[in-house]
Amino acid sequence: MDAVSPKSLSVRIWRGKDDGRFETYEVPARDNQTVLDVVTEVQRRHEPALAYRFACRVGVCGSCAMTVNGVPRWTCRTHVAKVAEAGEITIEPLRNMPRIKDLACDMAGFFDKWQKAGGRFTGTRNRAEPPAAVDPASRKRVAVDAAIECINCAVCYSACDVVSWNEEYLGPAALNRAWTLVNDERHALRRTTLDLAMEQGGCGNCHTQGSCMRHCPVGISPTESIAGLKRMSLLSFLVRDHAAADALAKTEEPA
Ligand code: SF4
Ligand code: SF4
Ligand code: FES
């Protein structure tokens, strides 16, 4: 059992929708306490109606992301000791999405953009056929592997200032997904995915300053993925030939 510190923690938590306000709670400061532990303590001891999301508590599901002292983070893997300032911590929903209630935001627009970016996999083979063989050491597969472990947490989307001023922008997570598909030899609609990722609101809007990359909790670089899409789309625009775009991808060093 964790030792209980004599000190307490002052926790400001957003309540309500976009027009809500902060409320402050005092909770015991404990050893090895995560931000999600603090939110759970407030919900169990002070505010039973407090709305927030979590599922796995171990950094797999991506559902617990919130803004902590102004920074988007996965709260189940964020220790209070690393982020509290003078015994205080401020917790809000992620930015760039409407606030539904307290710490929960409406993620429908975020996931809709995955579809708009062509993020749905369509196999080249049916279930009766043997699965396509992909060389795990090929440059394309290595590029995919560097971007594939996304947990859909929307931390990058919250960190992206282009998303905040351009609601059409597909954002880092959706475009990172598109990058994995245009490099996936088993995906039958690579041309379509590339076209969708290049459209208005697509990869050309990224300013490549890397806020998404700095905050991604699992170490993915959407910035690098989007840069790859830009290179591929430029060649595609010049030659209008997907085989040539593929050839460019083959010459790229993996991220
Ligand atoms: S690098 Fe691009 S996607 Fe990432 S935060 Fe900046 S503008 Fe957004
Ligand atoms: S790219 Fe990283 S920050 Fe963005 S949704 Fe995926 S895991 Fe989260
Ligand atoms: S609760 Fe699943 S990643 Fe945090």
Side-chain angles (χ1 to χ4, degrees):
M1 189 172 159
D2 290 340
V4 178
S5 162
K7 295 179 182 174
S8 67
L9 195 64
S10 178
V11 188
R12 296 173 71 233
I13 294 185
W14 187 261
R15 301 301 314 279
K17 300 186 179 184
D18 286 326
D19 59 353
R21 74 280 168 206
F22 284 106
E23 292 194 3
T24 303
Y25 308 88
E26 296 291 322
V27 302
R30 305 179 193 277
D31 292 338
N32 302 317
Q33 188 176 34
T34 68
V35 173
L36 184 59
D37 291 337
V38 166
V39 173
T40 301
E41 179 136 10
V42 170
Q43 190 267 335
R44 290 188 179 165
R45 298 186 188 277
H46 301 276
E47 289 286 356
L50 180 69
Y52 65 110
R53 292 193 181 104
F54 71 96
C56 71
R57 288 187 174 271
V58 289
V60 173
C61 72
S63 64
C64 68
M66 303 171 199
T67 303
V68 183
N69 284 359
V71 176
R73 297 180 181 278
W74 53 357
T75 58
C76 71
R77 299 289 298 272
T78 299
H79 281 258
V80 168
K82 282 181 68 177
V83 294
E85 295 167 2
E88 294 183 0
I89 189 166
T90 298
I91 309 171
E92 305 168 70
L94 290 178
R95 286 182 285 231
N96 294 335
M97 289 170 280
R99 298 175 175 197
I100 304 174
K101 183 175 186 296
D102 306 335
L103 299 172
C105 49
D106 181 356
M107 300 184 73
F110 169 72
F111 287 116
D112 284 349
K113 288 179 177 178
W114 287 55
Q115 299 299 316
K116 287 181 184 162
R120 181 173 177 175
F121 176 80
T122 302
T124 52
R125 303 198 179 176
N126 64 40
R127 66 180 66 182
E129 296 172 322
V134 176
D135 178 0
S138 68
R139 289 179 188 276
K140 291 180 105 176
R141 187 62 221 178
V142 171
V144 172
D145 285 344
I148 200 67
E149 299 289 349
C150 175
I151 58 171
N152 311 347
C153 66
V155 162
C156 57
Y157 191 80
S158 177
C160 177
D161 55 1
V162 176
V163 170
S164 69
W165 71 60
N166 178 0
E167 65 180 23
E168 284 194 348
Y169 180 43
L170 297 173
L175 291 169
N176 180 74
R177 169 65 177 169
W179 175 243
T180 65
L181 288 179
V182 298
N183 283 291
D184 190 339
E185 296 165 17
R186 303 163 308 147
H187 179 44
L189 301 179
R190 285 184 291 150
R191 174 78 242 181
T192 303
T193 297
L194 181 60
D195 284 345
L196 291 171
M198 288 164 26
E199 283 191 353
Q200 187 174 1
C203 59
N205 293 270
C206 172
H207 58 28
T208 68
Q209 291 186 15
S211 180
C212 53
M213 172 187 66
R214 283 193 296 280
H215 292 95
C216 175
V218 296
I220 290 174
S221 174
T223 314
E224 183 62 30
S225 300
I226 296 167
L229 283 172
K230 286 180 177 176
R231 291 191 296 272
M232 195 180 280
S233 59
L234 176 61
L235 188 66
S236 168
F237 176 75
L238 291 174
V239 300
R240 299 306 299 171
D241 179 346
H242 194 50
D246 280 350
L248 177 65
K250 281 177 186 157
T251 67
E252 289 175 342
E253 288 301 323

